[in-house]
Amino acid sequence: MKFFIDTANLDQIKEMQDLGIIDGVTTNPTLLSKEGAEPIEQLKKICEIVDGPISAEVVGLKTEEMVKEARELAKIAPNIVIKIPMTRDGIKAVKILESEGIKTNVTLVFSQNQVLIAAKAGASYISPFIGRLMDDGQDEIDMLWETMDIIKAYNFKSELIVASVRNSRHVIEAAKMGAHIATIPFNVLEKMFKHPRTDQGLDAFLKDWEKLQAQLKK
Ligand code: G3P
């Protein structure tokens, strides 16, 4: 299973990259706006840190606008993947871009039907937003299982990026069903490292070691 980090923050990306657990990055207009930097420059810097797929989203709504923007974004680096919203115009753009060798990530996906359409259009990646489904009181885990079944049943080339991850349980659920990728926010990645029993155990080991050293000195 691949881990992407869901942020446009350079410090957060560097920190997780240094730990060696990051395979890619996903950004969106909201995440880039939080950083306040010029988006193209920020994306260039991200591509210098991580050599896996880096998602950059278009903001145009018409197919022609999306395709034009995507072609420009794709010039940033060879590892740029274009995030396209799950709309009719978006799906047309996916077809065109994929035929030109530009990888796409269909975003704002909330249903199994949308997954099926994005897969049929030939998207390289599809991003179901499970946290937002959970916020709406829907069964986001059930939706993921059915989605994985659809992808596997027909051997679609699309890889699933489990997105809008809210907690470490979401990552476990995604892993259990064999999802290709989870894009995880920094705070959730941090929590995945931690367990109180690890800290307690380490503390006890070190105390016992010091005790032994003190005894040996006597
Ligand atoms: O990649 C963007 C997606 O993960 C959005 O997450 O937290 O805004 O629902 P969120």
Side-chain angles (χ1 to χ4, degrees), residues 198-209:
T198 305
D199 298 337
Q200 288 160 15
L202 190 57
D203 197 41
F205 284 155
L206 294 180
K207 278 192 182 127
D208 290 341
W209 188 255

Side-chain angles (χ1 to χ4, degrees), residues 6 26-28 31 83 129 132 163-166 183:
D6 199 22
T26 48
T27 70
N28 62 35
L31 292 172
K83 251 187 174 178
F129 275 31
R132 295 192 192 186
S164 184
V165 164
R166 293 273 188 270
T183 187

Side-chain angles (χ1 to χ4, degrees), residues 2-7 12-13 15-17 19 21-24 165-168 171 182-194:
K2 289 178 188 158
F3 281 1
F4 289 2
I5 184 165
D6 199 22
T7 183
Q12 293 182 351
I13 295 168
E15 191 173 327
M16 290 302 162
Q17 170 70 10
L19 286 166
I21 58 165
I22 291 304
D23 304 292
V165 164
R166 293 273 188 270
N167 52 55
S168 53
V171 182
T183 187
I184 313 170
F186 181 80
N187 66 316
V188 176
L189 278 167
E190 272 196 314
K191 282 184 189 141
M192 288 171 67
F193 274 89
K194 291 189 177 158

Side-chain angles (χ1 to χ4, degrees), residues 15-101:
E15 191 173 327
M16 290 302 162
Q17 170 70 10
D18 284 350
L19 286 166
I21 58 165
I22 291 304
D23 304 292
V25 181
T26 48
T27 70
N28 62 35
T30 302
L31 292 172
L32 280 163
S33 80
K34 280 187 192 162
E35 301 311 311
E38 201 286 315
I40 301 288
E41 289 309 312
Q42 191 74 0
L43 287 162
K44 274 186 193 157
K45 287 179 185 161
I46 295 172
C47 291
E48 282 163 16
I49 304 170
V50 179
D51 62 7
I54 312 293
S55 285
E57 190 160 342
V58 296
V59 289
L61 296 177
K62 294 273 168 225
T63 304
E64 314 77 60
E65 294 165 353
M66 292 183 202
V67 169
K68 197 169 162 231
E69 260 184 83
R71 287 177 184 147
E72 286 308 308
L73 287 168
K75 287 180 191 160
I76 295 175
N79 52 331
I80 284 283
V81 171
I82 308 300
K83 251 187 174 178
I84 302 278
M86 177 57 223
T87 59
R88 287 174 183 231
D89 278 77
I91 289 301
K92 280 194 224 164
V94 166
K95 269 253 176 235
I96 297 168
L97 294 168
E98 291 283 344
S99 75
E100 292 177 9

Side-chain angles (χ1 to χ4, degrees), residues 116 119-120 147-158:
L116 198 45
K120 281 186 71 68
T147 294
M148 277 312 297
D149 285 349
I150 292 166
I151 297 285
K152 282 180 192 158
Y154 293 99
N155 239 342
F156 282 121
K157 73 158 192 178
S158 314

